[in-house]
């Protein structure tokens, strides 16, 4: 493993990746090897941690987007959902939101870092976010409730108890931005299989990577060199971490077969 700056390293082999992704000590109380990290795989190391809401360059439309999603999606929703669950559903189905997708599985993150064959000429990356440390920077009210419930991350039910809506959430920010890690509801097989987690920034106009620069110990960024991507991809397929699992159903099968049968030499 080659370390190039605080929190950023370059993997030199498949074994390097494993050593860094699974590099955490046993829990001081129960001795189990439970990782505090959530992982986000990106097929280009140059990509930042901007949200989909930031990428439409109109963050002021956030409440409008969510309100209209609720209006037009009502027939497809099986039951009434609180605003936090609705936000998670909207994010899961592609609506621009202030949420970012993560996974508690480093293998799922590696899948997303190596699934786009058109980017095999670029370095990929896996971001590793220490959820314990992220929540140590929460306002006292939120940190206390999380500790009270003995939770690693928030649930939509707990957020609904704490905040009436997004405006109420935004009002807590004060002068200091903070980040919440959310365990989304298990709305379908895809979100379950991806072992998903979402981050929510208190400031909808600020990228998570910008916030993390204040706290170097909260994250790691592991760069996967372009020349290593194919080996990682083939070994993930051998371990059955692929589109068939990530996207259960016919779409996943088709995406897996298309990628699996593409001549990667033509993509480099």
């Amino acid at each position: 493993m080659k370390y190039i700056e605080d929190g950023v390293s370059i993997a030199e082999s498949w074994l390097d990746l494993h050593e860094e992704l699974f590099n955490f000590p046993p829990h001081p109380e129960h001795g189990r090897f439970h990782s505090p990290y959530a992982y986000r795989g990106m097929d280009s190391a140059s990509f930042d941690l901007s949200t989909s809401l930031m990428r439409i360059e109109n963050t002021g439309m956030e409440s409008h987007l969510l309100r209209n999603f609720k209006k037009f999606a009502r027939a497809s929703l099986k039951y009434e959902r609180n605003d936090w669950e609705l936000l998670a559903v909207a994010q899961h189905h592609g609506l621009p939101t202030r949420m970012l997708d993560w996974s508690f599985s480093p293998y799922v993150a590696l899948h997303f870092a190596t699934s786009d064959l058109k980017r095999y000429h670029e370095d990929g990356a896996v971001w590793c976010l220490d959820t314990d440390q992220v929540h140590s920077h929460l306002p006292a009210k939120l940190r206390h409730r999380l500790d009270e419930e003995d939770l690693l991350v928030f649930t939509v039910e707990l957020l609904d108890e704490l905040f009436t809506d997004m405006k109420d959430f935004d009002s807590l920010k004060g002068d200091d931005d903070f980040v919440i890690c959310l365990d989304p509801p298990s709305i379908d097989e895809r979100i379950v299989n991806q072992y998903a987690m979402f981050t929510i920034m208190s400031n909808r106009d600020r990228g998570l990577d910008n916030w993390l620069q204040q706290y170097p110990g909260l994250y790691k960024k592991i760069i996967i060199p372009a020349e290593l991507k194919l080996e990682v991809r083939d070994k993930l397929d051998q371990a059955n971490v692929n589109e068939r699992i990530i996207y259960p159903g016919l779409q996943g099968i088709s995406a897996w077969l298309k990628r699996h049968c593409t001549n990667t030499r033509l993509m480099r």
Side-chain angles (χ1 to χ4, degrees), residues 85-129:
E85 185 168 4
L86 187 71
L87 188 66
V89 171
Q91 166 73 9
H92 186 56
H93 289 284
L95 188 79
T97 77
R98 72 170 75 183
M99 289 181 163
L100 268 182
D101 293 288
W102 297 77
S103 172
F104 285 115
S105 166
Y107 288 129
V108 169
L110 286 174
H111 166 81
F112 285 112
T114 59
S115 61
D116 187 352
L117 299 183
K118 293 179 181 178
R119 292 194 178 274
Y120 267 39
H121 62 288
E122 298 182 55
D123 295 346
V126 173
W127 289 77
C128 312
L129 187 68

Short mmCIF file of all heavy atoms in Angstrom, two decimals, residues 85-129:
data_model
loop_
_atom_site.label_atom_id
_atom_site.label_comp_id
_atom_site.label_asym_id
_atom_site.label_seq_id
_atom_site.Cartn_x
_atom_site.Cartn_y
_atom_site.Cartn_z
N GLU A 85 -38.51 8.49 5.61
CA GLU A 85 -38.63 7.26 4.81
C GLU A 85 -38.90 7.62 3.35
O GLU A 85 -38.36 7.01 2.44
CB GLU A 85 -39.74 6.38 5.36
CG GLU A 85 -39.82 5.03 4.64
CD GLU A 85 -40.71 4.04 5.35
OE1 GLU A 85 -41.33 4.41 6.36
OE2 GLU A 85 -40.78 2.89 4.87
N LEU A 86 -39.73 8.64 3.15
CA LEU A 86 -40.02 9.09 1.79
C LEU A 86 -38.75 9.57 1.10
O LEU A 86 -38.52 9.28 -0.09
CB LEU A 86 -41.06 10.21 1.82
CG LEU A 86 -41.59 10.67 0.46
CD1 LEU A 86 -42.47 9.60 -0.16
CD2 LEU A 86 -42.38 11.98 0.61
N LEU A 87 -37.91 10.30 1.83
CA LEU A 87 -36.65 10.78 1.27
C LEU A 87 -35.75 9.62 0.86
O LEU A 87 -35.12 9.64 -0.20
CB LEU A 87 -35.95 11.67 2.29
CG LEU A 87 -34.71 12.43 1.81
CD1 LEU A 87 -35.08 13.46 0.76
CD2 LEU A 87 -34.01 13.11 2.99
N ALA A 88 -35.70 8.59 1.70
CA ALA A 88 -34.89 7.41 1.39
C ALA A 88 -35.42 6.68 0.16
O ALA A 88 -34.65 6.23 -0.70
CB ALA A 88 -34.85 6.47 2.59
N VAL A 89 -36.75 6.55 0.06
CA VAL A 89 -37.37 5.92 -1.11
C VAL A 89 -37.06 6.72 -2.37
O VAL A 89 -36.71 6.17 -3.42
CB VAL A 89 -38.90 5.79 -0.91
CG1 VAL A 89 -39.57 5.33 -2.20
CG2 VAL A 89 -39.22 4.82 0.22
N ALA A 90 -37.18 8.05 -2.27
CA ALA A 90 -36.90 8.91 -3.41
C ALA A 90 -35.45 8.79 -3.87
O ALA A 90 -35.17 8.68 -5.07
CB ALA A 90 -37.23 10.36 -3.05
N GLN A 91 -34.51 8.79 -2.93
CA GLN A 91 -33.10 8.63 -3.25
C GLN A 91 -32.86 7.29 -3.94
O GLN A 91 -32.16 7.21 -4.95
CB GLN A 91 -32.26 8.72 -1.97
CG GLN A 91 -30.82 8.24 -2.09
CD GLN A 91 -29.94 9.21 -2.85
OE1 GLN A 91 -30.35 10.32 -3.16
NE2 GLN A 91 -28.73 8.79 -3.17
N HIS A 92 -33.47 6.26 -3.42
CA HIS A 92 -33.29 4.91 -3.95
C HIS A 92 -33.77 4.79 -5.38
O HIS A 92 -33.25 4.01 -6.17
CB HIS A 92 -34.04 3.93 -3.05
CG HIS A 92 -33.84 2.49 -3.38
ND1 HIS A 92 -32.59 1.90 -3.43
CD2 HIS A 92 -34.72 1.50 -3.68
CE1 HIS A 92 -32.71 0.62 -3.75
NE2 HIS A 92 -33.99 0.36 -3.90
N HIS A 93 -34.76 5.62 -5.74
CA HIS A 93 -35.33 5.55 -7.08
C HIS A 93 -34.86 6.69 -7.99
O HIS A 93 -35.45 6.92 -9.05
CB HIS A 93 -36.86 5.53 -7.00
CG HIS A 93 -37.39 4.23 -6.46
ND1 HIS A 93 -37.44 3.07 -7.23
CD2 HIS A 93 -37.86 3.88 -5.25
CE1 HIS A 93 -37.94 2.08 -6.50
NE2 HIS A 93 -38.20 2.55 -5.29
N GLY A 94 -33.80 7.39 -7.59
CA GLY A 94 -33.15 8.31 -8.51
C GLY A 94 -33.54 9.77 -8.42
O GLY A 94 -33.08 10.57 -9.24
N LEU A 95 -34.37 10.16 -7.46
CA LEU A 95 -34.69 11.57 -7.30
C LEU A 95 -33.47 12.30 -6.74
O LEU A 95 -32.82 11.79 -5.83
CB LEU A 95 -35.88 11.74 -6.34
CG LEU A 95 -36.43 13.17 -6.24
CD1 LEU A 95 -37.33 13.46 -7.44
CD2 LEU A 95 -37.21 13.37 -4.94
N PRO A 96 -33.14 13.49 -7.27
CA PRO A 96 -32.03 14.26 -6.68
C PRO A 96 -32.34 14.64 -5.23
O PRO A 96 -33.37 15.25 -4.96
CB PRO A 96 -31.97 15.51 -7.57
CG PRO A 96 -32.58 15.10 -8.88
CD PRO A 96 -33.67 14.13 -8.50
N THR A 97 -31.48 14.23 -4.33
CA THR A 97 -31.64 14.53 -2.90
C THR A 97 -30.29 14.90 -2.31
O THR A 97 -29.25 14.79 -2.97
CB THR A 97 -32.20 13.32 -2.11
OG1 THR A 97 -31.15 12.37 -1.90
CG2 THR A 97 -33.37 12.66 -2.82
N ARG A 98 -30.29 15.31 -1.04
CA ARG A 98 -29.04 15.62 -0.37
C ARG A 98 -28.38 14.37 0.22
O ARG A 98 -27.35 14.46 0.90
CB ARG A 98 -29.26 16.66 0.73
CG ARG A 98 -30.00 16.14 1.94
CD ARG A 98 -29.98 17.14 3.08
NE ARG A 98 -30.89 18.25 2.87
CZ ARG A 98 -31.00 19.29 3.72
NH1 ARG A 98 -30.26 19.33 4.81
NH2 ARG A 98 -31.86 20.25 3.49
N MET A 99 -28.94 13.21 -0.05
CA MET A 99 -28.36 11.96 0.45
C MET A 99 -27.25 11.45 -0.46
O MET A 99 -27.23 11.71 -1.66
CB MET A 99 -29.44 10.88 0.55
CG MET A 99 -30.45 11.09 1.65
SD MET A 99 -31.67 9.74 1.69
CE MET A 99 -32.36 9.97 3.33
N LEU A 100 -26.34 10.68 0.15
CA LEU A 100 -25.32 9.96 -0.60
C LEU A 100 -25.42 8.48 -0.26
O LEU A 100 -25.61 8.12 0.91
CB LEU A 100 -23.91 10.44 -0.24
CG LEU A 100 -23.28 11.56 -1.07
CD1 LEU A 100 -21.85 11.82 -0.55
CD2 LEU A 100 -23.24 11.23 -2.55
N ASP A 101 -25.26 7.61 -1.25
CA ASP A 101 -25.32 6.16 -1.06
C ASP A 101 -23.99 5.61 -0.55
O ASP A 101 -22.93 5.92 -1.11
CB ASP A 101 -25.65 5.46 -2.38
CG ASP A 101 -27.05 5.76 -2.86
OD1 ASP A 101 -28.00 5.26 -2.25
OD2 ASP A 101 -27.19 6.50 -3.84
N TRP A 102 -24.07 4.76 0.47
CA TRP A 102 -22.92 4.03 0.99
C TRP A 102 -23.33 2.58 1.20
O TRP A 102 -24.51 2.24 1.07
CB TRP A 102 -22.46 4.63 2.32
CG TRP A 102 -21.98 6.04 2.22
CD1 TRP A 102 -22.76 7.16 2.12
CD2 TRP A 102 -20.62 6.50 2.19
NE1 TRP A 102 -21.98 8.28 2.03
CE2 TRP A 102 -20.67 7.91 2.07
CE3 TRP A 102 -19.39 5.84 2.27
CZ2 TRP A 102 -19.50 8.67 2.02
CZ3 TRP A 102 -18.24 6.61 2.22
CH2 TRP A 102 -18.30 8.01 2.10
N SER A 103 -22.39 1.75 1.53
CA SER A 103 -22.68 0.36 1.87
C SER A 103 -21.81 -0.04 3.06
O SER A 103 -20.68 0.43 3.20
CB SER A 103 -22.38 -0.57 0.70
OG SER A 103 -22.49 -1.93 1.09
N PHE A 104 -22.35 -0.90 3.91
CA PHE A 104 -21.54 -1.45 4.99
C PHE A 104 -20.64 -2.59 4.48
O PHE A 104 -19.84 -3.13 5.24
CB PHE A 104 -22.42 -1.96 6.12
CG PHE A 104 -23.01 -0.86 6.96
CD1 PHE A 104 -24.38 -0.64 6.99
CD2 PHE A 104 -22.20 -0.04 7.72
CE1 PHE A 104 -24.92 0.37 7.76
CE2 PHE A 104 -22.72 0.98 8.49
CZ PHE A 104 -24.10 1.18 8.52
N SER A 105 -20.78 -2.95 3.21
CA SER A 105 -19.96 -4.01 2.63
C SER A 105 -18.85 -3.43 1.77
O SER A 105 -19.11 -2.75 0.77
CB SER A 105 -20.83 -4.94 1.75
OG SER A 105 -20.01 -5.77 0.95
N PRO A 106 -17.58 -3.70 2.10
CA PRO A 106 -16.50 -3.23 1.24
C PRO A 106 -16.53 -3.89 -0.14
O PRO A 106 -16.09 -3.29 -1.12
CB PRO A 106 -15.23 -3.61 2.01
CG PRO A 106 -15.64 -4.66 2.98
CD PRO A 106 -17.08 -4.39 3.30
N TYR A 107 -17.07 -5.10 -0.23
CA TYR A 107 -17.16 -5.77 -1.53
C TYR A 107 -18.18 -5.10 -2.44
O TYR A 107 -17.98 -5.00 -3.66
CB TYR A 107 -17.50 -7.24 -1.35
CG TYR A 107 -16.36 -8.07 -0.79
CD1 TYR A 107 -16.54 -8.91 0.30
CD2 TYR A 107 -15.09 -8.02 -1.36
CE1 TYR A 107 -15.51 -9.67 0.82
CE2 TYR A 107 -14.05 -8.77 -0.86
CZ TYR A 107 -14.25 -9.59 0.23
OH TYR A 107 -13.21 -10.33 0.74
N VAL A 108 -19.28 -4.65 -1.88
CA VAL A 108 -20.26 -3.90 -2.68
C VAL A 108 -19.62 -2.62 -3.20
O VAL A 108 -19.79 -2.24 -4.37
CB VAL A 108 -21.52 -3.60 -1.86
CG1 VAL A 108 -22.43 -2.61 -2.59
CG2 VAL A 108 -22.29 -4.89 -1.57
N ALA A 109 -18.84 -1.94 -2.35
CA ALA A 109 -18.15 -0.73 -2.79
C ALA A 109 -17.16 -1.04 -3.91
O ALA A 109 -17.07 -0.29 -4.89
CB ALA A 109 -17.42 -0.09 -1.60
N LEU A 110 -16.42 -2.14 -3.79
CA LEU A 110 -15.49 -2.54 -4.85
C LEU A 110 -16.24 -2.83 -6.15
O LEU A 110 -15.73 -2.56 -7.24
CB LEU A 110 -14.67 -3.75 -4.41
CG LEU A 110 -13.57 -3.51 -3.39
CD1 LEU A 110 -12.94 -4.83 -2.95
CD2 LEU A 110 -12.50 -2.56 -3.94
N HIS A 111 -17.44 -3.39 -6.03
CA HIS A 111 -18.24 -3.63 -7.23
C HIS A 111 -18.50 -2.32 -7.98
O HIS A 111 -18.29 -2.22 -9.19
CB HIS A 111 -19.57 -4.30 -6.88
CG HIS A 111 -20.55 -4.27 -8.02
ND1 HIS A 111 -20.51 -5.17 -9.06
CD2 HIS A 111 -21.57 -3.41 -8.31
CE1 HIS A 111 -21.45 -4.88 -9.93
NE2 HIS A 111 -22.12 -3.82 -9.50
N PHE A 112 -18.95 -1.31 -7.24
CA PHE A 112 -19.29 -0.04 -7.89
C PHE A 112 -18.04 0.67 -8.41
O PHE A 112 -18.13 1.47 -9.35
CB PHE A 112 -20.07 0.85 -6.94
CG PHE A 112 -21.50 0.42 -6.77
CD1 PHE A 112 -21.95 -0.09 -5.56
CD2 PHE A 112 -22.39 0.51 -7.82
CE1 PHE A 112 -23.26 -0.51 -5.41
CE2 PHE A 112 -23.71 0.09 -7.68
CZ PHE A 112 -24.15 -0.41 -6.48
N ALA A 113 -16.89 0.38 -7.83
CA ALA A 113 -15.65 1.00 -8.31
C ALA A 113 -15.13 0.33 -9.57
O ALA A 113 -14.24 0.89 -10.24
CB ALA A 113 -14.59 0.94 -7.21
N THR A 114 -15.66 -0.84 -9.92
CA THR A 114 -15.12 -1.60 -11.06
C THR A 114 -16.19 -2.07 -12.04
O THR A 114 -15.90 -2.89 -12.92
CB THR A 114 -14.34 -2.84 -10.56
OG1 THR A 114 -15.23 -3.68 -9.80
CG2 THR A 114 -13.17 -2.44 -9.70
N SER A 115 -17.41 -1.58 -11.93
CA SER A 115 -18.50 -2.13 -12.76
C SER A 115 -18.62 -1.46 -14.13
O SER A 115 -19.18 -2.04 -15.05
CB SER A 115 -19.84 -2.00 -12.02
OG SER A 115 -20.13 -0.65 -11.74
N ASP A 116 -18.10 -0.24 -14.29
CA ASP A 116 -18.23 0.49 -15.55
C ASP A 116 -16.99 0.25 -16.41
O ASP A 116 -15.94 0.84 -16.19
CB ASP A 116 -18.43 1.97 -15.27
CG ASP A 116 -18.75 2.77 -16.54
OD1 ASP A 116 -18.66 2.19 -17.64
OD2 ASP A 116 -19.10 3.96 -16.42
N LEU A 117 -17.13 -0.61 -17.41
CA LEU A 117 -15.99 -0.95 -18.25
C LEU A 117 -15.48 0.25 -19.05
O LEU A 117 -14.31 0.28 -19.46
CB LEU A 117 -16.37 -2.08 -19.21
CG LEU A 117 -16.80 -3.40 -18.57
CD1 LEU A 117 -17.07 -4.44 -19.65
CD2 LEU A 117 -15.75 -3.91 -17.59
N LYS A 118 -16.32 1.24 -19.27
CA LYS A 118 -15.90 2.42 -20.03
C LYS A 118 -14.92 3.29 -19.25
O LYS A 118 -14.31 4.20 -19.82
CB LYS A 118 -17.12 3.25 -20.43
CG LYS A 118 -18.03 2.54 -21.42
CD LYS A 118 -19.24 3.39 -21.78
CE LYS A 118 -20.14 2.65 -22.76
NZ LYS A 118 -21.36 3.46 -23.09
N ARG A 119 -14.76 3.00 -17.96
CA ARG A 119 -13.82 3.79 -17.14
C ARG A 119 -12.63 2.95 -16.67
O ARG A 119 -11.98 3.27 -15.70
CB ARG A 119 -14.56 4.39 -15.94
CG ARG A 119 -15.56 5.47 -16.33
CD ARG A 119 -16.02 6.29 -15.15
NE ARG A 119 -16.93 7.33 -15.54
CZ ARG A 119 -16.57 8.55 -15.97
NH1 ARG A 119 -15.29 8.86 -16.03
NH2 ARG A 119 -17.48 9.45 -16.31
N TYR A 120 -12.35 1.87 -17.40
CA TYR A 120 -11.22 1.03 -17.00
C TYR A 120 -9.87 1.68 -17.28
O TYR A 120 -8.84 1.19 -16.84
CB TYR A 120 -11.32 -0.35 -17.67
CG TYR A 120 -12.02 -1.37 -16.79
CD1 TYR A 120 -13.12 -1.00 -16.03
CD2 TYR A 120 -11.58 -2.68 -16.71
CE1 TYR A 120 -13.77 -1.92 -15.23
CE2 TYR A 120 -12.22 -3.62 -15.91
CZ TYR A 120 -13.31 -3.22 -15.17
OH TYR A 120 -13.95 -4.12 -14.36
N HIS A 121 -9.87 2.79 -18.00
CA HIS A 121 -8.63 3.53 -18.24
C HIS A 121 -8.37 4.52 -17.10
O HIS A 121 -7.31 5.17 -17.07
CB HIS A 121 -8.70 4.29 -19.57
CG HIS A 121 -9.78 5.33 -19.61
ND1 HIS A 121 -11.12 5.00 -19.69
CD2 HIS A 121 -9.73 6.69 -19.55
CE1 HIS A 121 -11.85 6.11 -19.70
NE2 HIS A 121 -11.02 7.14 -19.61
N GLU A 122 -9.33 4.66 -16.17
CA GLU A 122 -9.20 5.59 -15.05
C GLU A 122 -9.01 4.83 -13.74
O GLU A 122 -9.52 3.73 -13.57
CB GLU A 122 -10.45 6.45 -14.91
CG GLU A 122 -10.76 7.35 -16.08
CD GLU A 122 -11.99 8.20 -15.81
OE1 GLU A 122 -12.01 8.92 -14.79
OE2 GLU A 122 -12.94 8.14 -16.61
N ASP A 123 -8.30 5.47 -12.82
CA ASP A 123 -8.23 4.94 -11.46
C ASP A 123 -9.61 5.02 -10.82
O ASP A 123 -10.36 5.98 -11.04
CB ASP A 123 -7.25 5.75 -10.61
CG ASP A 123 -5.81 5.64 -11.09
OD1 ASP A 123 -5.52 4.74 -11.90
OD2 ASP A 123 -4.99 6.47 -10.65
N GLY A 124 -9.96 4.02 -10.02
CA GLY A 124 -11.17 4.06 -9.22
C GLY A 124 -10.83 4.38 -7.77
O GLY A 124 -9.66 4.63 -7.44
N ALA A 125 -11.83 4.37 -6.92
CA ALA A 125 -11.57 4.67 -5.50
C ALA A 125 -12.67 4.09 -4.63
O ALA A 125 -13.82 3.94 -5.07
CB ALA A 125 -11.46 6.17 -5.27
N VAL A 126 -12.30 3.77 -3.40
CA VAL A 126 -13.28 3.43 -2.36
C VAL A 126 -13.06 4.39 -1.19
O VAL A 126 -11.95 4.50 -0.67
CB VAL A 126 -13.12 1.98 -1.87
CG1 VAL A 126 -14.03 1.72 -0.67
CG2 VAL A 126 -13.46 0.99 -3.00
N TRP A 127 -14.12 5.10 -0.84
CA TRP A 127 -14.10 5.95 0.35
C TRP A 127 -14.58 5.12 1.53
O TRP A 127 -15.57 4.38 1.42
CB TRP A 127 -15.03 7.15 0.16
CG TRP A 127 -14.56 8.18 -0.82
CD1 TRP A 127 -14.60 8.09 -2.18
CD2 TRP A 127 -13.99 9.47 -0.51
NE1 TRP A 127 -14.10 9.24 -2.75
CE2 TRP A 127 -13.71 10.09 -1.75
CE3 TRP A 127 -13.69 10.13 0.67
CZ2 TRP A 127 -13.16 11.37 -1.81
CZ3 TRP A 127 -13.14 11.40 0.60
CH2 TRP A 127 -12.87 12.01 -0.63
N CYS A 128 -13.91 5.26 2.66
CA CYS A 128 -14.26 4.54 3.89
C CYS A 128 -14.59 5.59 4.96
O CYS A 128 -13.72 6.40 5.31
CB CYS A 128 -13.11 3.66 4.36
SG CYS A 128 -12.37 2.63 3.07
N LEU A 129 -15.80 5.56 5.46
CA LEU A 129 -16.28 6.58 6.38
C LEU A 129 -16.50 5.97 7.75
O LEU A 129 -17.26 5.02 7.91
CB LEU A 129 -17.60 7.15 5.85
CG LEU A 129 -18.19 8.35 6.59
CD1 LEU A 129 -17.32 9.59 6.39
CD2 LEU A 129 -19.61 8.61 6.09
#
